[in-house]
Amino acid sequence: MLDKVKDTAAEAVADIPDGATIAVGGFGLVGVPGVLIRAVLDQGATDLETVSNNCGTDGFGLGLLLEKGRIRRTISSYVGDNKEFARQYLTGELEVELTPQGTLAERMRAGGAGIPAFFTPAGVGTQVAEGGLPRRFVGDGGIAIASPVKETREFDGITYVMELGIVADFALVHAWKGDRHGNLVYRRTARNFNPPAATSGRITIAQVEHLVEPGELDPDQIHTPGIHVQRVVHVGKVPVGIEKRTVRT
């Protein structure tokens, strides 16, 4: 009953429905659950809401779903150099909730911990708290949906803004090692947003490079306990690309 390993990524994501909210780990090209994302692409789910630091890059990660028009809305902290993301946002095809990076991580962590909301100083005095940030444009450049005014409160003379925790229907994460019980170990900077994403999903699916047997992982080295993970897919070693290649002339 505790063996959570699925034979294929396709089997692991088969029940993700249209309109689902999906929290996704990764930062740029690192720690991205690319095998699972491609399986979602092949599976056909659409009208998705994604929660991720960035909505993939051109031709990789969530960028693949974006290019096919399968993402309706995204909560992200970084747009980066994804030209298709910018085009869809500015033409009103994509709704975007921009969130400070640390706030996004904490919103996912809080959701996973059963905390509905929390107060943070990040964004106080800006449109993050005061509202008016464009979430969806219309074709002529007007604003169809703007961010709302958020509650603020003072603690010990300092003003904080209230942010809501995020609970996703599914979470997709990438781990270096994992066992059949779903215990996960991330490798160095590939950890990034994967731990909070893993805890925020009602159903968390992990792709792992190295699958080991229960008991082989040192309990003190486990980053995400298996209680947060429902499905595991062994994908083998995953190459990491270079987002910006710079060479001497």
Side-chain angles (χ1 to χ4, degrees):
M1 291 179 64
L2 289 176
D3 191 340
K4 302 175 181 179
V5 176
K6 301 298 181 181
D7 291 333
T8 65
E11 180 185 356
V13 305
D15 60 344
I16 296 179
D18 293 348
T21 299
I22 307 176
V24 182
F27 186 110
L29 304 183
V30 180
V32 177
V35 175
L36 294 175
I37 292 171
R38 185 170 287 278
V40 174
L41 179 71
D42 295 338
Q43 183 253 40
T46 191
D47 197 34
L48 301 170
E49 177 175 4
T50 59
V51 183
S52 179
N53 174 65
N54 55 290
C55 199
T57 54
D58 291 313
F60 178 74
L62 288 174
L64 295 173
L65 292 172
L66 195 66
E67 289 169 6
K68 297 299 182 180
R70 306 271 280 279
I71 299 176
R72 171 186 58 83
R73 186 178 192 274
T74 186
I75 303 175
S76 299
S77 67
Y78 177 67
V79 176
D81 296 321
N82 191 325
K83 296 180 179 62
E84 180 61 15
F85 183 105
R87 187 196 68 77
Q88 291 189 24
Y89 177 43
L90 294 174
T91 57
E93 298 173 38
L94 178 68
E95 184 177 336
V96 179
E97 183 179 342
L98 288 172
T99 303
Q101 197 167 74
T103 300
L104 179 60
E106 181 62 12
R107 288 183 68 188
M108 287 193 282
R109 190 205 69 80
I115 299 170
F118 60 93
F119 285 91
T120 173
V124 172
T126 74
Q127 286 182 300
V128 169
E130 297 171 359
L133 279 173
R135 287 190 175 176
R136 183 184 288 276
F137 287 101
V138 289
D140 61 2
I143 298 175
I145 301 174
S147 64
V149 177
K150 296 176 182 177
E151 179 183 342
T152 58
R153 195 176 299 180
E154 191 173 290
F155 298 93
D156 296 326
I158 300 174
T159 302
Y160 296 81
V161 59
M162 189 178 77
E163 296 282 359
L164 301 179
I166 293 174
V167 178
D169 300 314
F170 291 83
L172 308 180
V173 299
H174 172 89
W176 178 50
K177 285 185 179 181
D179 67 18
R180 292 181 177 275
H181 290 176
N183 297 301
L184 305 179
V185 177
Y186 309 105
R187 188 171 188 270
R188 298 178 180 173
T189 57
R191 187 187 310 187
N192 52 60
F193 278 80
N194 280 294
T199 60
S200 72
R202 291 188 175 93
I203 297 176
T204 294
I205 309 169
Q207 65 171 56
V208 302
E209 295 192 38
H210 304 280
L211 179 64
V212 301
E213 295 303 317
E216 290 188 43
L217 297 177
D218 180 347
D220 286 335
Q221 301 302 314
I222 291 172
H223 298 131
T224 295
I227 192 173
H228 296 293
V229 180
Q230 283 68 47
R231 301 169 193 170
V232 176
V233 181
H234 181 212
V235 298
K237 185 172 177 57
V238 177
V240 178
I242 299 175
E243 191 168 357
K244 290 182 177 293
R245 184 182 296 275
T246 303
V247 298
R248 292 177 179 170
T249 57

